[in-house]
Each structure stands twice: as structure tokens, then as C-alpha cells.
Amino acid sequence: MIKRVNPEFLAGLESFTDFDFKVEHLESMREGMAQAVLPLTSTETVNIINKTITGIDDNEIRVRIYKPAHQHQELPVLLWIHGGGYVLGSIEENDHLCVQVVETANCVVVSVDYRLAPEHPYPAPLEDCYSALAWIADNAAELQIDKNRIGVAGASAGGGLTAGLTLLARDREYPSICFQMPLYPMINDSNDTPSANEITEGMIWNQKTNDFGWKCYLGDLHGHDVPIYAAPARAEDYRNLPYTYTCVGQLDPFRDETITYVSKLAQAGVDVEFHLYPGAYHGFESLNPQSELAQKVIKEYVNAIKVGFERVKATVDQVEEVK
């Protein structure tokens, strides 16, 4: 398997210590990962604001807002959902990416600090994301955002929450989402696709670690009647979902569930852009950010956010011209 890895991505793979997941170790793992992150403060171009909102269980949810330093008009907004297998990750770990999105797509970004499993299994993490989404729409004037141009994005488990959230918002009929970007999403709890069976160990994320993540996230639901909002690969109706961009590495255990998801979206009439990267394992671009291909990939999906918002504006402008 190692022979198939793109040489640009070998350094990141070799420097990574494989996850040795045990529930009793999660707290120390989270603390160690948090200490390794140096949160950004506001930059010359982007203001970063921390805020606390109230969730469905009257729980406090931290959100981190990234806004252009000199904002003079309503802008589109992206809800960013971090990854971490539903058990790890923090709101600050994607600061640089969120700033890049603001600068490139000329939008506002809101990152949500959802509760983690297994302490808070489904539906708590998803409901926290929905609370943040609804809060964005409800406070459009305060945030100076266009509530007709709301997008959702995330990677890995964040991609799974993105896919589940768009289904949930569609079925609850609020808010309206115009764009989603579930990058190499964690959406299939069966964990038995050909790519999952192929990537059984190593490679950052694999069938073994994936099984741990799903058991923690689903809790008592694991192996039973799992809702489509928890595992979006189980959905049968993908109609009326927003324009979608996604990608996955060929050596990612999520390869086949992503390909199947993209196919079902396309068959349901959803416009989709999809990229498959040979020689790439799970999270390859974040572990090798200076590599030529990683920079290309990040530039592509950040630009996809801009395109997703511009599609909506172009449609609105066309309607206005007809009037």
C-alpha cells in the first residue's frame, strides 16, 4: 500500500503516530491536540470573534466568527464544521483555512464547536450544528449576511455532519442552504465498502479507527435502525439538496462511500463537482500543506465555495433582469 502513496505525501504519513483509540484516552488526546494548536487572533484582513450561543438542550455552544475587516455590505456565509471522527477536533484547528475562505470567497465564516462523542452521541453533535445554522439565519442582520446564500462545509466527520445537516435542514424546511462541501465525508456506518476493507490499518484513518468513531457517535443506535441524518449514506431521497462539491483520496477508506454518494446526488438531479486524487490518503492535504498537490487541492475547494455563492447571485440577478 505504501508504494501507492504520492511521494509528496510520504513525509506526512511517516511523521504521523497512528491513533490508538480507547475511550479512557480520549480526554488526554483532545488536550494534547488542543495544546498543539496556536489560535489565530484577528489579522489585517479578517476579524475573528468568539461568541457563545444556546443549543437545543440549553447547552452552550461556542462559535468562532471570521469576518472581513472592512465589511460594507451583506455577504454570503459559510458554516464550517471541523473533523475528528466525531470524537476529536476543536473549533480553532482550522483557523488558517477559515481565514483563507473569507479572503478568497469574500464571505463570512462561522465555525461551530459541537459536542463530541462518546460523551455526547448522536443527535447531540448534529443538533449543535443545526443550532449554529439556525442562529446564523436568525441573526442575518447582525452578522451582515445574505440569508439566501448560506453554505455548509467540513471535512471527514465534519463532512459527515455537513451531509447530515443539509438533509436535516431540507426536511425541517429551514434554513435554506445553497451550497454544501462535505470533503471526504464520514457517512457510511456499515464500514464495509471495498475501500474500507482495503484500508484496514495505517493511512491516518482506516477501517479500525472508523469502527471506533462510529460506535462512539451512534452509541445505543450502533447496529440498529440508524437515522439518515446520522449516516447520510443510508438516505434514499437526495432530491432538493444544494449544489455540492467534494473530493476524496484513492487511498482513503471513505473513497467508495463518497463515490456512491456523489452518484446518488447526481441521479437525484443535484449538481455536483467531484475530484478523486490518486496516491492520496485520508486528510492528505492538511498533513502536507506545503506540497504542490495539497496547495492545488486546497485552492480548488476554497474556490469552489466562491463559485457556489456566485451561482446563487447569478440566478438572482437573472430573475431580477426578467422582472
Side-chain angles (χ1 to χ4, degrees):
M1 184 67 66
I2 195 72
K3 294 180 180 179
R4 296 177 60 192
V5 175
N6 185 315
E8 281 195 290
F9 303 146
L10 283 173
L13 185 62
E14 291 168 353
S15 66
F16 187 84
T17 302
D18 288 346
F19 291 116
D20 181 21
F21 277 132
K22 292 182 175 61
V23 171
E24 59 268 26
H25 295 165
L26 282 175
E27 185 174 352
S28 61
M29 291 175 71
R30 292 168 186 163
E31 290 175 355
M33 293 175 70
Q35 290 171 4
V37 174
L38 183 61
L40 282 180
T41 55
S42 296
T43 69
E44 290 185 4
T45 58
V46 178
N47 289 334
I48 301 176
I49 305 158
N50 293 302
K51 193 174 182 66
T52 300
I53 65 174
T54 303
I56 191 172
D57 299 320
D58 289 328
N59 57 302
E60 292 187 345
I61 305 171
R62 287 196 308 139
V63 294
R64 198 157 161 83
I65 305 165
Y66 307 77
K67 295 169 65 80
H70 305 288
Q71 181 180 347
H72 304 297
Q73 59 182 349
E74 284 188 349
L75 295 176
V77 60
L78 182 79
L79 175 65
W80 176 260
I81 307 173
H82 70 75
Y86 298 114
V87 298
L88 298 172
S90 69
I91 197 173
E92 293 87 5
E93 65 182 27
N94 299 125
D95 274 349
H96 290 281
L97 178 59
C98 290
V99 166
Q100 186 176 349
V101 171
V102 171
E103 294 174 340
T104 301
N106 191 29
C107 68
V108 174
V109 174
V110 178
S111 182
V112 55
D113 192 32
Y114 58 90
R115 288 171 289 178
L116 298 175
E119 298 92 334
H120 304 283
Y122 174 86
L126 183 63
E127 288 291 358
D128 285 354
C129 294
Y130 183 81
S131 294
L133 180 68
W135 176 82
I136 288 170
D138 292 344
N139 293 274
E142 176 188 343
L143 292 168
Q144 290 180 277
I145 59 101
D146 178 358
K147 64 190 305 181
N148 295 312
R149 289 191 289 165
I150 299 176
V152 182
S156 191
L161 287 164
T162 294
L165 185 59
T166 56
L167 286 167
L168 189 64
R170 179 199 65 181
D171 295 346
R172 288 181 176 176
E173 299 183 350
Y174 185 80
S176 176
I177 299 173
C178 72
F179 169 76
Q180 69 158 341
M181 189 175 75
L183 301 171
Y184 38 90
M186 185 174 173
I187 55 176
N188 188 342
D189 65 295
S190 70
N191 198 24
D192 65 354
T193 64
S195 56
N197 291 328
E198 178 184 343
I199 314 297
T200 57
E201 60 183 6
M203 294 296 167
I204 311 303
W205 195 259
N206 52 60
Q207 191 176 50
K208 181 180 177 181
T209 54
N210 199 38
D211 184 61
F212 178 86
W214 277 113
K215 284 180 178 177
C216 288
Y217 183 49
L218 295 178
D220 293 339
L221 290 173
H222 188 257
H224 295 86
D225 190 15
V226 177
I228 63 170
Y229 311 113
R234 289 177 173 264
E236 296 181 358
D237 182 5
Y238 292 96
R239 291 174 297 175
N240 301 316
L241 290 177
Y243 170 68
T244 301
Y245 179 100
T246 187
C247 67
V248 69
Q250 195 166 348
L251 303 180
D252 191 319
F254 300 156
R255 179 192 69 211
D256 292 325
E257 62 199 73
T258 303
I259 291 173
T260 299
Y261 177 63
V262 164
S263 297
K264 289 183 176 181
L265 286 172
Q267 291 162 7
V270 177
D271 291 336
V272 187
E273 182 175 352
F274 168 63
H275 296 263
L276 177 66
Y277 296 106
Y281 47 79
H282 189 75
F284 65 97
E285 85 287 10
S286 61
L287 279 174
N288 307 272
Q290 301 307 315
S291 68
E292 184 176 347
L293 180 55
Q295 290 187 23
K296 176 177 178 288
V297 170
I298 295 169
K299 183 177 180 180
E300 283 179 348
Y301 63 61
V302 170
N303 190 65
I305 299 168
K306 179 181 179 181
V307 171
F309 289 141
E310 287 176 345
R311 283 168 56 97
V312 180
K313 188 176 187 303
T315 301
V316 171
D317 291 344
Q318 288 175 355
V319 172
E320 290 299 323
E321 286 181 7
V322 171
K323 290 180 180 179

